[in-house]
């Protein structure tokens, strides 16, 4: 039972997991950014013994003056960001991807969402891809109902294959008739070293669209510019990698040529107007 001092106002839940679903730590960085910017407070945490293999997701020990001061166990945190000026609450969920009992884990998260009155869930992930770091970060995903995604101009994923906890939780929420969106940012595989603020920034733009709240970006845009500049310098030092990046750029630009259509421009303009109306 979660103790609340008041009923939440149109709460939307934003979820990210560390590990397989979090290339470049873009998804977890996005949720951490929201927590820091909004001063989120913790509501609860899932019992780690039920879902984590501690030989895989090891607890962390803090030693002070030769004595063990604390053991920090891997767990899933549920935090609340209250936004009275925007007339909405945001529930933030993050933690390492669980190692076992995924269906029970998804059921626990669903129970929390229902208890809090959540009606829409935005799930964040990032994956390694053949994407040039010099171009906008591609974001694809899926939504339930499907119309929720198409209405916001989301490029639907065509992926079928092995999934992580995001896919399992998405299905559980969707089957419970919660509006559910999963967003995946493409992180250039040749610069997989985290963090990737540019991909986190791309995810947050979509969170803003689907949540209906204005997101303070803080230093994240400057960090994204610095990240791209640093990658420029690194790739310039290796002609083979530079040639590879140029090839990715050409392929991306060629693929995007048909996107300069009336429909694509109209969709982007609608997104701009939505943000302007909400500001």
């Amino acid at each position: 039972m979660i103790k609340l001092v008041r009923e939440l106002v149109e709460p939307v839940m934003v979820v990210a997991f560390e590990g397989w679903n979090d290339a470049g730590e873009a998804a977890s960085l996005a949720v951490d950014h929201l927590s820091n910017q909004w001063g989120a407070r913790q509501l609860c945490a899932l019992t780690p013994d039920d879902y984590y293999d501690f030989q895989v997701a090891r607890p962390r020990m803090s030693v002070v003056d030769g004595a063990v001061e604390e053991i920090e166990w891997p767990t899933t945190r549920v935090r609340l960001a209250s936004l009275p000026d925007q007339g909405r609450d945001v529930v933030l969920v993050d933690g390492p991807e669980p190692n076992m009992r995924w269906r029970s884990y998804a059921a626990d998260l669903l129970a929390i969402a229902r208890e809090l009155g959540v009606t829409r869930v935005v799930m964040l992930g990032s994956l390694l891809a053949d994407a040039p770091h010099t171009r906008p970060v591609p974001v694809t995903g899926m939504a339930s109902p499907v119309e929720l995604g198409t209405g916001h101009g989301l490029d639907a994923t065509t992926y079928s294959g092995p999934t992580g906890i995001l896919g399992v939780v998405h299905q559980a929420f969707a089957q419970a008739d919660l509006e559910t969106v999963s967003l995946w940012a493409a992180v250039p595989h040749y610069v997989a070293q985290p963090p990737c603020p540019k991909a986190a920034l791309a995810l947050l733009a979509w969170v803003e669209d689907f949540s209906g709240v204005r997101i303070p970006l803080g230093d994240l845009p400057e960090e994204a510019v610095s990240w791209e500049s640093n990658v420029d310098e690194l790739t310039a030092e290796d002609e083979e990698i530079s040639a590879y990046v140029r090839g990715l750029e050409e392929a991306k630009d060629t693929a995007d040529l048909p996107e300069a259509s009336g429909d694509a421009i109209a969709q982007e303009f609608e997104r701009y107007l939505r943000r302007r109306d909400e500001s």
Side-chain angles (χ1 to χ4, degrees):
M1 184 75 176
I2 300 173
K3 293 183 179 180
L4 296 171
V5 296
R6 61 172 175 80
E7 185 176 349
L8 300 188
V9 180
E10 297 186 28
V12 60
M13 179 179 280
V14 181
V15 184
F17 297 100
E18 303 163 13
W20 189 87
N21 314 270
D22 194 25
E25 297 180 358
S28 56
L29 176 60
V31 169
D32 279 343
H33 175 84
L34 295 178
S35 179
N36 293 333
Q37 290 291 316
W38 288 332
R41 64 179 180 87
Q42 184 157 316
L43 290 178
C44 65
L46 272 65
T47 304
D49 300 61
D50 292 340
Y51 301 116
Y52 292 96
D53 178 348
F54 299 134
Q55 290 184 323
V56 178
R58 290 188 176 272
R60 298 180 63 86
M61 178 177 67
S62 298
V63 176
V64 178
D65 297 329
V68 176
E69 182 179 68
E70 182 184 10
I71 299 290
E72 181 182 350
W73 297 91
T75 189
T76 299
R77 299 174 297 176
V78 180
R79 292 174 285 181
L80 174 64
S82 298
L83 309 175
D85 60 324
Q86 302 197 49
R88 162 159 271 178
D89 290 302
V90 180
V91 178
L92 303 174
V93 178
D94 70 330
E97 181 180 46
N99 306 116
M100 50 197 179
R101 303 186 184 96
W102 283 9
R103 285 179 290 186
S104 296
Y105 180 92
D108 277 357
L109 281 187
L110 176 59
I112 291 171
R114 281 175 164 163
E115 184 176 351
L116 295 176
V118 170
T119 56
R120 178 173 293 184
V121 182
V122 182
M123 310 188 68
L124 307 181
S126 47
L127 71 164
L128 299 179
D130 292 331
H133 71 280
T134 54
R135 299 295 185 266
V137 175
V139 175
T140 58
M142 57 182 176
S144 179
V146 174
E147 295 75 22
L148 177 61
T150 55
H152 284 77
L154 179 65
D155 288 336
T157 182
T158 58
Y159 172 79
S160 293
T163 189
I165 192 64
L166 277 185
V168 175
V169 173
H170 181 111
Q171 184 192 43
F173 282 14
Q175 289 180 340
D177 293 327
L178 282 181
E179 291 185 341
T180 307
V181 182
S182 292
L183 303 169
W184 289 85
V187 175
H189 68 86
Y190 55 90
V191 281
Q193 184 71 21
C196 184
K198 186 173 181 178
L201 197 61
L203 287 171
L204 289 175
W206 284 97
V207 172
E208 197 169 60
D209 276 3
F210 282 105
S211 67
V213 298
R214 297 183 303 278
I215 294 176
L217 298 179
D219 295 332
L220 201 55
E222 289 76 14
E223 293 171 5
V225 170
S226 178
W227 174 86
E228 184 170 335
S229 177
N230 290 337
V231 178
D232 283 341
E233 293 178 6
L234 289 174
T235 55
E237 295 173 358
D238 189 315
E239 179 53 38
E240 185 175 343
I241 294 180
S242 294
Y244 177 70
V245 172
R246 288 194 296 272
L248 291 179
E249 290 171 339
E250 292 171 3
K252 174 65 175 173
D253 294 344
T254 300
D256 283 351
L257 284 176
E259 295 301 318
S261 63
D263 288 344
I265 294 172
Q267 285 182 352
E268 187 60 31
F269 187 58
E270 287 172 3
R271 291 186 66 202
Y272 165 76
L273 290 178
R274 279 197 300 271
R275 292 187 191 177
R276 185 177 179 183
D277 291 341
E278 292 162 2
S279 62

